[in-house]
């Protein structure tokens, strides 16, 4: 890892290298090469717009927002903006046309979700799929065919919903034979058919293998040979292909199922199922909605169209303005303003194209900063000022000033005159006004450290869109500068930008983004390592959880050393901050969808010999134990109750966290909350299974060792004493005529 030096404090950069930490009593911790202070990276850190307070300290890493949002209002709004922006960018084709398709994300009822590139399909994805999936006519034929042969080939055009149908049918097959679908539906990661050994595949699983268009389906003989192995292991394999297997038609009948997509209007209605049926029927009767449905070609089109309708409704648009069509007229008007309007009109239009739907005060303030970046010339001799007395419509005809419809106290907000004007407008600004590019990038760099999270999200997604037109320049001048900053806010901005870029323009930049993040994850720069971890905490990590978790494991167990072997407070600080950043990214990967993968990885860390991994696992468990599930039980209990293979992992995490070597009372307090919750819900029949699971967990913790059993008994006596004391205090505080509510 390396850091850019502060030349004022350290003219001669100090090299820092990492060596393996060998401890014969506790095991060997992973090492990673580090180097503080390369002159090349110092120059990169000094790019325009990239300077913040974190740049002044070469070894500084911020692991948390210095001014967090206390009531989470900004966080919730920023998350909604992030989801909305990802959907919009995924539909962008780069030629000012819209395509309702996203290769890297899935849409379930208007919400984005991630199906991993390979490995286990997360349980929450299967749950969402059930609520938004419309079964095609071929699904029943595929389900029946799996009774005849455990290997089947689902053949149809790409992008038409084949993989979704295969996953849903695999889950139905497992439930039909008495197995749970959670944890047992897997996507294979190979394109080489010959490398699949049916006898080596795990038993009792359903596997999905999606072949690229360039890969031919195997011969019929292959199906017969692998089918025999799968049958012995009670597993099934669904091959998804564009091409039919080679062989005679008579032989193919046992292994081939042609794919037929479900009706698109049914898909559209299914994704609107969160609304009352009468409301859905009214929406489908709108002329603009009917025309948009007629333009849909594949199931994903209808799903994304439903997401658009839900987003428009959430923004407060009346029915007659839903899906207002393409913003062609407004775009032409905006182009005219950009070419002929006054400088302030143009600047406000550019600022609103990036920060639409934000408060007027925020947009005007940042528009003024953008204006100040313009160097006066012979024609424009001073920085433009806001003419308050002419009213907002004097500023730009493409910008509307609307009231605070959410009644959140934010005041008026700026909104573009068409809900879909932002992306084509920002493309026009970049492509047709080349002279503005440097100023625009400099301005975006500053927004990456903005105190308002919604501003940072919108700036990051704007940078992702611009990278679709000039990848190398925008990544180097904006995203890389954010990554090298060291501050929490710029690092998160870089992660959000990379996440959006991976799904933008139909996923055409996904491979380059993954390569960039992998390079940072193996970098000699500590700040780039931290930025890579933050990027893995987005959909990128949920898409490739094995890669993300493997790199996190290396960094958590690594040590940072100077070239001369010295250790000082700055190195200790960097190690602590980096460990905190990895933990945050790990929890973000969990929240992004890789729940089962994260729990299994943490259980593995709990069993590794070095204390760094065990401590990281214990700290992560404390955070996960606080997460609430859909019911009144903690999320970990809910996941464990529906997926048996997670119980051993959760038990291992508790054993590690409660170990006396951790010397921390926080895990015991977390366990007490679980026990209190089990006591409160003990009489509820709906909670019987979860309560029994909690009791089983306590019994297994007790059986782990005599020391842990004694510790558990000691804490339970303390908990009982405190609980009785609170009840006495509560009873004594009641008047003689009052009765305590049971």
């Amino acid at each position: 890892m390396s850091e850019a030096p502060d030349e004022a404090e350290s003219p001669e950069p100090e090299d820092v290298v990492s060596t393996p930490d060998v401890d014969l009593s506790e095991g060997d911790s992973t090492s990673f090469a580090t180097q503080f202070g390369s002159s090349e990276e110092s120059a990169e850190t000094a790019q325009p717009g990239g300077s913040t307070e974190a740049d002044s300290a070469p070894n500084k890493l911020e692991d948390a927002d210095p001014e967090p949002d206390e009531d989470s209002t900004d966080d919730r709004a920023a998350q909604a903006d992030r989801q909305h922006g990802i959907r919009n960018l995924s539909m962008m084709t780069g030629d000012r046309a819209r395509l309702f398709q996203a290769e890297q994300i899935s849409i379930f009822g208007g919400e984005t979700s991630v199906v991993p590139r390979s490995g286990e399909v997360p349980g929450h994805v299967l749950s969402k799929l059930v609520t938004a999936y419309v079964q095609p006519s071929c699904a029943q034929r595929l389900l029946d065919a799996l009774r005849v042969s455990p290997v089947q080939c689902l053949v149809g055009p790409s992008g038409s919903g084949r993989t979704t149908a295969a996953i849903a049918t695999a889950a139905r097959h497992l439930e039909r034979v008495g197995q749970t679908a959670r944890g047992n539906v897997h996507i294979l990661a190979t394109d080489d058919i010959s490398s699949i050994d049916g006898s080596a595949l795990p038993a009792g699983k359903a596997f999905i293998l999606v072949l690229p268009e360039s890969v031919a389906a195997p011969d019929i003989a292959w199906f017969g040979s692998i089918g025999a192995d799968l049958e012995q292991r009670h597993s099934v394999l669904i091959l998804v292909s564009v091409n039919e297997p080679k062989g005679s038609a008579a032989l193919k009948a046992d292994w081939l199922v042609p794919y037929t997509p479900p009706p698109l209007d049914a898909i559209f209605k299914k994704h609107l199922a969160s609304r009352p049926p009468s409301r859905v029927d009214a929406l489908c009767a709108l002329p603009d909605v009917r025309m948009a449905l007629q333009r849909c070609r594949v199931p994903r089109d209808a799903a994304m169209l439903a997401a658009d309708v839900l987003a428009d409704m959430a923004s407060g648009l009346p029915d007659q303005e839903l899906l207002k069509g393409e913003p062609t007229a407004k775009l032409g008007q905006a182009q005219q303003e950009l070419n002929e309007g006054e400088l302030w009109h143009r600047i406000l239009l550019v600022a609103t194209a990036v920060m639409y739907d934000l408060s007027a005060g925020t947009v005007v303030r940042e528009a003024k900063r953008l204006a100040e970046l313009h160097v006066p010339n012979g024609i424009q001799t001073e920085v433009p000022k806001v003419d308050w007395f002419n009213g907002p419509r004097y500023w730009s005809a493409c910008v509307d000033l609307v009231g605070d419809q959410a009644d959140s106290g934010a005041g008026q907000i700026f909104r573009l005159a068409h809900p879909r004007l932002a992306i084509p407008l920002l493309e026009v600004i970049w492509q047709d006004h080349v002279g503005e590019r440097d100023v625009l990038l400099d301005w975006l760099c500053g927004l990456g450290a903005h105190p308002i999270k919604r501003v940072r999200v919108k700036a990051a997604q704007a940078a992702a869109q611009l990278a679709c037109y000039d990848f190398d320049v925008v990544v180097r001048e904006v995203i890389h500068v954010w990554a090298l900053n060291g501050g929490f806010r710029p690092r998160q901005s870089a992660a959000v930008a990379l996440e959006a870029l991976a799904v933008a323009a139909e996923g055409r930049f996904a491979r380059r983004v993954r390569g960039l993040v992998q390079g940072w994850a193996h970098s000699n720069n500590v700040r780039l390592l931290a930025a890579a971890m933050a990027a893995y905490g987005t959909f990128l990590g949920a898409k490739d959880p094995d890669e993300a978790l493997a790199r996190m494991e290396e960094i958590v167990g690594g040590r940072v050393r100077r070239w001369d072997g010295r250790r000082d407070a700055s190195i200790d600080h960097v190690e602590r901050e980096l460990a905190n950043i990895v933990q945050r990214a790990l929890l973000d990967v969990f929240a992004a969808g890789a729940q089962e993968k994260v729990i299994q990885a943490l259980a593995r860390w709990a069993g590794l010999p070095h204390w760094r991994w065990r401590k990281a696992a214990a700290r992560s468990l404390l955070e996960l134990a606080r997460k609430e599930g859909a019911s009144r039980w903690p999320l970990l209990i809910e996941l464990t109750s529906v997926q048996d293979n997670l119980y051993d992992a959760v038990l291992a995490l508790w054993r590690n966290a409660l170990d006396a070597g951790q010397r921390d009372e926080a895990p015991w307090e977390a366990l007490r909350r679980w026990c209190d919750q089990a006591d409160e819900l003990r009489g509820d029949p709906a909670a019987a299974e979860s309560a029994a699971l909690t009791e089983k967990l306590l019994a297994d913790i007790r059986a782990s060792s005599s020391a842990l059993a004694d510790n558990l008994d000691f804490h339970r006596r303390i908990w009982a004493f405190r609980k009785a004391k609170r009840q006495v205090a509560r009873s004594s505080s009641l008047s003689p005529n009052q009765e305590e509510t049971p």
Side-chain angles (χ1 to χ4, degrees), residues 24 57 82 86 216 230 236 241 247 375 388 452 457 475 511 521 559 575 617 651:
L24 296 180
R82 179 180 160 199
I86 286 175
L230 290 171
V236 297
S241 176
V375 178
W388 296 103
I452 299 177
V457 168
V475 168
R511 181 172 296 181
R559 296 296 304 274
E575 285 187 348
L651 176 61

Side-chain angles (χ1 to χ4, degrees), residues 421-491:
L421 182 58
I423 286 180
L425 176 56
L426 194 57
E427 182 180 1
V428 165
I429 293 168
W430 182 263
Q431 302 285 36
D432 298 350
H433 299 269
V434 179
E436 290 293 311
R437 291 185 178 182
D438 284 346
V439 175
L440 183 59
L441 294 182
D442 195 1
W443 180 65
L444 285 176
C445 266
L447 293 181
H450 200 279
I452 299 177
K453 189 174 182 179
R454 293 190 68 188
V455 174
R456 301 198 301 270
V457 168
K458 288 184 176 290
Q461 293 186 338
Q465 181 188 341
L466 297 181
C468 295
Y469 315 130
D470 204 334
F471 185 92
D472 293 328
V473 169
V474 177
V475 168
R476 182 179 66 248
E477 302 292 335
V478 180
I479 300 176
H480 199 229
V481 171
W482 286 339
L484 283 170
N485 180 275
F488 172 82
R489 292 169 179 171
R491 180 172 60 250

Side-chain angles (χ1 to χ4, degrees), residues 207-219:
F207 299 98
I208 313 293
L209 176 59
V210 183
L211 296 180
E213 293 186 27
S214 58
V215 177
D219 295 337

Side-chain angles (χ1 to χ4, degrees), residues 108 121 125-126 129-130 132-136 139 142-143 146 154 161-176 181 185 206 208 238:
F108 300 118
V121 178
V125 172
L126 294 175
L129 189 148
V130 170
Y133 172 65
V134 176
Q135 180 176 299
L142 178 60
L143 188 65
L146 289 173
L154 186 63
R162 303 168 304 159
T163 305
T164 301
I167 293 173
T169 305
R172 286 184 61 198
H173 167 78
L174 290 172
E175 292 171 355
R176 182 182 63 183
V185 180
I208 313 293
I238 301 176

Side-chain angles (χ1 to χ4, degrees), residues 64-383:
D65 195 326
E67 299 176 357
D69 181 21
E70 297 296 337
D71 62 358
S72 301
T73 303
D74 187 30
D75 287 341
R76 290 192 297 270
Q79 180 64 13
D81 289 339
R82 179 180 160 199
Q83 299 274 348
H84 182 66
I86 286 175
R87 281 200 310 271
N88 287 343
L89 288 172
S90 69
M91 295 185 288
M92 184 188 72
T93 62
D95 56 0
R96 300 181 190 176
R98 298 179 72 243
L99 181 67
F100 298 100
Q101 183 167 339
E103 287 200 353
Q104 302 299 317
I105 61 173
S106 298
I107 303 295
F108 300 118
E111 298 181 1
T112 54
S113 190
V114 180
V115 177
R117 198 179 314 279
S118 62
E120 176 186 316
V121 178
H124 80 282
V125 172
L126 294 175
S127 300
K128 288 183 178 180
L129 189 148
V130 170
T131 63
Y133 172 65
V134 176
Q135 180 176 299
S137 58
C138 64
Q140 188 60 45
R141 293 200 302 271
L142 178 60
L143 188 65
D144 294 339
L146 289 173
R147 292 179 182 272
V148 179
S149 172
V151 56
Q152 293 292 329
C153 184
L154 186 63
V155 178
S158 60
S160 60
R162 303 168 304 159
T163 305
T164 301
I167 293 173
T169 305
R172 286 184 61 198
H173 167 78
L174 290 172
E175 292 171 355
R176 182 182 63 183
V177 297
Q179 291 179 263
T180 178
R182 278 180 174 263
N184 290 319
V185 180
H186 292 254
I187 298 177
L188 297 179
T190 180
D191 295 337
D192 183 9
I193 298 294
S194 61
S195 65
I196 299 178
D197 183 1
S199 61
L201 291 175
K205 305 284 186 180
F207 299 98
I208 313 293
L209 176 59
V210 183
L211 296 180
E213 293 186 27
S214 58
V215 177
D219 295 337
I220 287 298
W222 178 85
F223 286 85
S225 61
I226 196 171
D229 294 332
L230 290 171
E231 190 169 5
Q232 292 180 357
R233 306 190 66 77
H234 303 288
S235 294
V236 297
L237 170 64
I238 301 176
L239 196 69
V240 180
S241 176
V242 173
N243 309 301
E244 291 189 5
K246 299 176 182 178
S248 66
L251 293 176
K252 285 193 286 188
D254 290 338
W255 294 293
L256 173 64
V257 177
Y259 174 75
T260 54
L264 300 186
D265 59 340
I267 295 174
F268 178 75
K269 291 181 179 181
K270 187 73 171 179
H271 283 263
L272 294 177
S274 59
R275 299 294 188 271
S278 58
R279 181 70 174 127
V280 174
D281 292 337
L283 291 172
C284 293
L286 295 173
D288 288 337
V289 173
R290 289 203 308 268
M291 291 180 59
L293 262 175
Q294 292 173 1
R295 291 195 297 267
C296 293
R297 299 170 301 156
V298 294
R300 192 173 290 163
D301 292 0
M304 295 294 268
L305 181 64
D308 272 352
V309 170
L310 290 171
D312 286 353
M313 292 170 63
S315 65
L317 290 179
D319 285 359
Q320 60 270 22
E321 295 186 23
L322 297 177
L323 302 179
K324 289 173 60 176
E326 299 303 325
T328 307
K330 288 298 182 182
L331 182 60
Q333 188 176 9
Q335 287 177 296
Q336 183 177 1
E337 286 190 10
L338 290 171
N339 292 327
E340 303 172 4
E342 296 183 18
L343 182 56
W344 174 250
H345 300 181
R346 289 178 271 159
I347 287 172
L348 184 65
L349 187 57
V350 172
T352 309
V354 174
M355 296 187 295
Y356 58 92
D357 291 341
L358 294 185
S359 68
T362 299
V363 177
V364 170
R365 186 183 307 113
E366 295 308 319
K368 183 176 182 296
R369 193 174 69 83
L370 175 60
E372 292 170 348
L373 294 175
H374 286 76
V375 178
N377 52 37
I379 300 175
Q380 177 66 40
T381 57
E382 62 178 15
V383 173

